[in-house]
Amino acid sequence: MSHLLSIDSLSRDDIDHLMRVAATMEPVAQRRKVTRVLEGAVLGNLFFEASTRTRVSFHTAFSRLGGSVCDTTGFTFSSMAKGESLYDTSRVMAGYCDAIVMRHPDQGSVAEFAGATHVPVINAGDGPGEHPSQALLDFYTIDKEFSRQGKTLKGAHVLMTGDLKYGRTVHSLIKLLALYAPMRVTLVAPPGLEMPNHLIERVSRQGLDVEVRESLAGDFSDVDVVYTTRIQKERFTAEMSEGFNLSRDFTVHRAFMDSRCNPSTIIMHPLPRDSRPEANDLDVDLNGDPRLAIFRQTDNGIPVRMAIFATLLKVEHLIERDLRDVPWFVPGSVGVDDAKF
Ligand code: NCD
């Protein structure tokens, strides 16, 4: 691995390695241990699109490895606003930083940026393209939840709903799951927001059992994971935006989970969820329900992103011998509604 731009560049062995390294990061991510393996290293964290968790968790992950971080957010305060090319920006940043994380609204832009440097570049989302680190943390979450439940990945059934056309997280996740076939994936999207056909064809060829259904009506009792996503309205054409309202028939809520799924089905979402009532995104009536894994999923962003940095910068073998105890106060759990298993 020299950059992390797409799931396309990862083999199953690479992913298994990252999952193992992420597990060794847990004591640091959970604030029980401190490590300084990246002391002296600098991360360039470049976000040209809105972000909270991806930007902050990359920043936190690098900091918890002992490195420091330079951030830029938005075009307004960067030289791209003066017409600087991706090539020039990349070469300049590579002279300052040991790793670069970048989010940009154009598909393919992060790969173009990475083409100008040998410094490792991580794609934190390129428009509707991909978001590989999110897929890795989603997969880590599925694996961890399954271990707790005594389930195996083999033959698991994942339901993906919401905006499957513009949602880059599901594009990366379906590619990743295809590497672990046999698995089943059911896709349910509102009209016009279906998963691109080229992706369905490709993962089906790899042995993933893909079923497309038109709605959430019907039986989903053999589904292990409901993975729901926000409608990416910011990527709509003017024509699409006009009069678009997501019907509540596509909402994952408590009644859907209770009547159509089974008690061990977990609920995931890359977040943010649009909590305005008219958005009909993942319903807040599931808050506090132990099946809701969304904050366990965001927490998992830290060990997984630490594993990505440690692997790209080749320090993963140093972690275990570099651990020290945390001296400061850390609460037993971070959220007031966190499930106790
Ligand atoms: C997503 C993204 O930006 O692709 N969020 C994330 O990174 N966790 C999903 C979204 O914006 O809906």
Side-chain angles (χ1 to χ4, degrees):
M1 254 168 88
S2 53
H3 299 297
L4 178 60
L5 301 173
S6 158
I7 295 297
D8 293 345
S9 65
L10 298 178
S11 66
R12 190 168 156 158
D13 281 350
D14 294 328
I15 296 168
D16 290 343
H17 174 80
L18 284 165
M19 298 298 110
R20 276 195 304 274
V21 177
T24 68
M25 299 297 180
E26 288 281 3
V28 184
Q30 292 169 9
R31 292 164 260 188
R32 288 184 279 114
K33 297 280 179 185
V34 181
T35 176
R36 310 301 299 164
V37 285
L38 285 188
E39 188 165 18
V42 177
L43 171 71
N45 209 23
L46 311 184
F47 278 74
F48 298 106
E49 247 192 1
S51 175
T52 302
R53 76 222 76 236
T54 305
R55 183 169 57 83
V56 176
S57 67
F58 269 120
H59 190 137
T60 305
F62 205 81
S63 306
R64 291 211 187 275
L65 287 165
S68 31
V69 184
C70 301
D71 264 313
T72 72
T73 42
F75 286 100
T76 324
F77 298 108
S78 96
S79 283
M80 287 209 189
K82 300 178 183 169
E84 188 168 55
S85 66
L86 285 165
Y87 180 94
D88 284 4
T89 308
S90 173
R91 175 60 190 86
V92 170
M93 290 304 297
Y96 304 153
C97 302
D98 302 287
I100 299 170
V101 171
M102 186 179 187
R103 170 172 286 187
H104 192 285
D106 299 335
Q107 187 161 352
S109 55
V110 185
E112 188 183 335
F113 181 93
T117 178
H118 298 301
V119 165
V121 174
I122 298 168
N123 177 6
D126 59 329
E130 276 209 50
H131 194 348
S133 67
Q134 179 71 41
L136 289 163
L137 80 87
D138 291 340
F139 185 63
Y140 185 76
T141 303
I142 294 172
D143 193 45
K144 211 164 143 182
E145 297 281 320
F146 278 18
S147 305
R148 177 174 55 75
Q149 296 179 331
K151 286 185 178 177
T152 55
L153 269 177
K154 197 166 180 208
H157 187 183
V158 178
L159 164 66
M160 294 185 184
T161 75
D163 187 343
L164 306 183
K165 178 176 180 173
Y166 295 113
R168 52 196 171 201
T169 70
V170 283
H171 299 164
S172 290
L173 184 59
I174 200 166
K175 284 183 178 181
L176 192 158
L177 295 181
L179 295 170
Y180 290 82
M183 273 184 100
R184 283 175 67 197
V185 174
T186 298
L187 305 173
V188 176
L193 297 178
E194 293 88 357
M195 179 71 76
N197 267 329
H198 70 91
L199 276 174
I200 299 184
E201 282 160 19
R202 171 201 154 139
V203 297
S204 303
R205 274 198 306 276
Q206 288 173 280
L208 203 64
D209 179 2
V210 183
E211 188 191 347
V212 178
R213 284 165 71 169
E214 282 179 3
S215 80
L216 291 177
D219 179 34
F220 291 92
S221 58
D222 60 356
V223 162
D224 301 293
V225 180
V226 173
Y227 190 102
T228 181
T229 62
R230 182 180 67 86
I231 303 300
Q232 313 277 300
K233 275 198 175 167
E234 67 276 27
R235 306 202 193 283
F236 281 18
T237 57
E239 203 177 289
M240 287 178 79
S241 304
E242 206 168 306
F244 180 91
N245 269 316
L246 181 67
S247 146
R248 188 151 167 87
D249 295 348
F250 290 96
T251 303
V252 173
H253 42 58
R254 188 178 288 271
F256 168 77
M257 292 305 297
D258 289 346
S259 62
R260 313 230 180 248
C261 298
N262 74 68
S264 72
T265 307
I266 58 158
I267 307 153
M268 296 174 58
H269 189 304
L271 301 184
R273 61 175 154 172
D274 187 339
S275 293
R276 290 168 287 198
E278 68 280 9
N280 288 325
D281 202 336
L282 174 62
D283 204 305
V284 292
D285 72 354
L286 284 157
N287 286 4
D289 188 312
R291 291 171 294 184
L292 190 71
I294 57 175
F295 300 120
R296 300 194 288 278
Q297 191 182 352
T298 50
D299 288 349
N300 288 334
I302 301 296
V304 171
R305 292 188 164 121
M306 289 176 75
I308 293 169
F309 287 132
T311 302
L312 286 170
L313 295 171
K314 305 189 197 310
V315 291
E316 68 269 50
H317 59 290
L318 300 175
I319 299 289
E320 271 169 328
R321 67 178 112 117
D322 187 63
L323 297 177
R324 278 180 293 119
D325 286 342
V326 161
W328 63 85
F329 165 75
V330 178
S333 70
V334 287
V336 288
D337 287 327
D338 288 0
K340 307 229 176 350
F341 294 114

